[in-house]
């Protein structure tokens, strides 16, 4: 029994640490650690390659795997588009009242998993869009899935974090919290990390759902947690960004902008350099913040004309992030200087996906854009 559990934990650990091919961005934030980093930067000068009109608002962030783009729409459709041409490969309808909100597709082992606002989790064939299985929760699903080996990990507004069997969709375990589970779970070394709407950060064993420890944050949290080694980073609705020490199980530092205090809904990206790590996150103060990960101090700040709920993506020393002012921005990760912008004409709350030298993002007017 002990051997079986140890082997299960080892498999989950190796799966979570397995490198993601640079041509792929298989889930929200790119990897199971939710770092928001791509190893396949797009060209220095971006050009619009194609657009696709999904018909209704895009709040879901894209996944990119093996030359296909997967993204959900509030129309209740999961779309598969060709990365090179933008042509529709297939579409899957979630069913009555099955609008796809912020839940973003996760792709692994030939399956695409996404949640809808009716509370249903869908697994669909990546090849042709046929339904593989569904699982019903009792609340909206805005969380995105993390697929780790044979587990699908995803939250629901019914206050539970679910672990489902990847092949069958059957429940393996569920963990009840004291509030909606909005965030996408991060996974590292067989441990699931997430902050919740019940103002607590949890570390949970992926193999069986056992809570290893909790850290009180004292604030409602909608953002997902980025994990890097012994540190985790997440912003809250109480206008703070936390660095959490996973060894001591305590808050390492708290960042609060000295000028304006607004909530953080955006999930952080981690810019690792030879001189240190920076935490880059959007705020509802209309700004993108770069924070020194060692000290919790401001490195730079770039101000847009509206709130930034989009989560930044990093590639090749650049930051790619949308704003509700309707623009996609490209910033120098070292200085915060603007390198490029594109006006989509409507709010961009979805987060960019970066893979295979392409940047893909949707906007509130229902259009999906690909740049390269």
């Amino acid at each position: 029994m002990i051997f079986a559990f140890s082997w299960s934990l080892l498999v989950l650990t190796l799966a979570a640490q397995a490198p993601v091919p640079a041509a792929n961005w298989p889930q929200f934030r790119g990897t199971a650690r939710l770092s928001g980093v791509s190893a396949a930067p797009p060209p220095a000068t971006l050009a619009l390659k194609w657009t696709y009109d999904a018909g209704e608002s895009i709040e879901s962030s894209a996944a990119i795997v093996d030359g296909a783009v997967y993204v959900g729409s509030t129309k209740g459709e999961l779309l598969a588009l060709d990365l090179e041409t933008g042509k529709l490969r297939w579409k899957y309808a979630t069913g009555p009242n099955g609008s796809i909100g912020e839940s973003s597709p996760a792709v692994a082992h030939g399956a695409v998993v996404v949640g809808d606002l009716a509370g249903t989790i869908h697994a669909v064939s990546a090849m042709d869009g046929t339904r593989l299985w569904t699982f019903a929760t009792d609340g909206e699903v805005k969380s995105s899935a993390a697929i780790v080996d044979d587990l699908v990990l995803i939250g629901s507004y019914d206050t539970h974090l679910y672990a489902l069997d990847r092949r069958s969709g059957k429940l393996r375990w569920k963990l009840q919290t004291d509030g909606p589970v909005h965030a996408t779970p991060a996974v590292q070394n067989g441990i699931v990390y997430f902050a919740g709407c019940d103002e607590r950060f949890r570390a949970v064993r992926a193999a069986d759902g056992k809570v290893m420890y909790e850290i009180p944050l004292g604030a409602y949290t909608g953002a997902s947690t980025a994990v890097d080694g012994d540190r985790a980073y997440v912003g809250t609705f109480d206008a703070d960004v936390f660095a959490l020490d996973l060894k001591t199980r305590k808050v390492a530092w708290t960042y609060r902008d000295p000028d304006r205090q607004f909530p953080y809904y955006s999930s952080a990206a981690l810019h690792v350099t030879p001189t240190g790590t920076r935490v880059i996150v959007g705020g509802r103060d209309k700004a993108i913040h770069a924070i020194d990960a060692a000290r919790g101090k401001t490195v730079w700040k770039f101000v847009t004309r509206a709130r930034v709920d989009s989560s930044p993506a990093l590639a090749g020393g650049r930051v790619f992030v949308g704003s509700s002012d309707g623009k996609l921005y490209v910033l120098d990760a070292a200085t915060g200087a603007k390198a490029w912008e594109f006006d989509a004409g409507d709010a961009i709350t979805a987060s960019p996906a970066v893979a295979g030298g392409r940047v893909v993002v949707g906007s509130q007017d229902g259009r999906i854009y690909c740049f390269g």
Side-chain angles (χ1 to χ4, degrees):
M1 189 66 151
I2 295 175
F3 173 78
F5 172 77
S6 299
W7 175 252
S8 172
L9 184 60
L10 175 62
V11 170
L12 288 167
T13 299
L14 292 175
Q17 292 178 324
V20 175
N24 294 337
W25 183 277
Q27 67 157 83
F28 182 62
R29 313 305 294 133
T31 69
R33 293 189 300 108
L34 309 187
S35 61
V37 177
S38 172
T45 303
L46 291 181
L48 180 63
K49 294 298 183 182
W50 52 260
T51 63
Y52 181 89
D53 189 350
E56 290 188 21
S57 178
I58 303 293
E59 299 173 7
S60 173
S61 302
I64 303 172
V65 175
D66 296 338
V69 174
Y70 303 93
V71 65
S73 79
T74 56
K75 192 176 180 179
E77 293 178 336
L78 175 63
L79 306 169
L81 309 174
D82 186 272
L83 178 61
E84 287 302 314
T85 66
K87 290 183 178 178
L88 181 69
R89 292 189 177 183
W90 52 256
K91 66 172 65 174
Y92 166 86
T94 56
N97 305 314
S99 175
I100 299 174
E102 295 167 45
S103 184
S104 303
V107 186
H109 305 285
V112 187
V113 179
V114 72
D116 68 31
L117 298 182
T120 302
I121 300 161
H122 304 259
V124 176
S125 168
M127 182 178 295
D128 57 14
T130 57
R131 179 178 295 173
L132 300 175
W133 52 259
T134 60
F135 180 89
T137 76
D138 293 322
E140 295 179 331
V141 177
K142 295 185 179 182
S143 171
S144 304
I147 304 176
V148 182
D149 194 53
D150 63 345
L151 285 184
V152 173
L153 300 158
I154 191 168
S156 169
Y157 268 52
D158 68 5
T159 74
H160 289 88
L161 175 70
Y162 289 92
L164 309 177
D165 185 275
R166 173 180 58 81
R167 299 174 184 85
S168 67
K170 292 182 178 179
L171 181 67
R172 295 275 287 272
W173 55 259
K174 64 180 179 180
L175 172 68
Q176 185 166 17
T177 71
D178 294 324
V181 181
H182 178 96
T184 298
V187 187
Q188 177 180 262
N189 297 336
I191 305 297
V192 183
Y193 300 100
F194 70 103
C197 299
D198 60 1
E199 305 184 354
R200 279 176 276 172
F201 171 84
R202 288 178 173 84
V204 179
R205 201 158 58 196
D208 58 5
K210 176 181 173 56
V211 177
M212 308 300 289
Y213 59 90
E214 298 179 358
I215 302 174
L217 300 180
Y220 177 100
T221 305
S224 301
T225 303
V227 178
D228 181 32
D230 295 329
R231 287 283 179 96
Y233 306 92
V234 66
T236 75
F237 269 74
D238 200 29
D240 293 314
V241 177
F242 284 93
L244 306 171
D245 190 307
L246 304 180
K247 275 191 172 181
T248 65
R249 304 178 180 183
K250 295 180 180 179
V251 174
W253 51 253
T254 305
Y255 168 85
R256 175 169 286 225
D257 186 274
D259 302 319
R260 306 175 70 210
Q261 285 77 52
F262 280 81
Y264 292 94
Y265 194 68
S266 167
S267 301
L270 303 178
H271 180 46
V272 180
T273 73
T275 58
T277 299
R278 291 174 179 177
V279 181
I280 300 178
V281 63
R284 288 192 167 175
D285 61 351
K286 306 180 182 180
I288 298 106
H289 301 256
I291 307 163
D292 185 298
R295 300 179 298 115
K297 303 298 183 182
T298 300
V299 178
W300 54 256
K301 181 168 67 173
F302 177 86
V303 178
T304 75
R305 287 182 287 277
R307 63 172 54 177
V308 181
D309 284 349
S310 174
S311 301
L314 282 161
R318 288 170 289 166
V319 179
F320 303 83
V321 64
S323 169
S324 290
D325 67 10
K327 292 187 177 182
L328 174 69
Y329 291 96
V330 180
L331 311 177
D332 184 287
T335 65
K338 183 175 69 176
W340 185 82
E341 67 178 41
F342 175 84
D343 191 348
D346 206 344
I348 298 176
T349 59
S351 305
V354 182
R358 297 286 186 267
V359 180
V360 179
V361 70
S363 73
Q364 294 283 324
D365 67 0
R367 292 189 177 273
I368 301 164
Y369 297 88
C370 177
F371 305 92

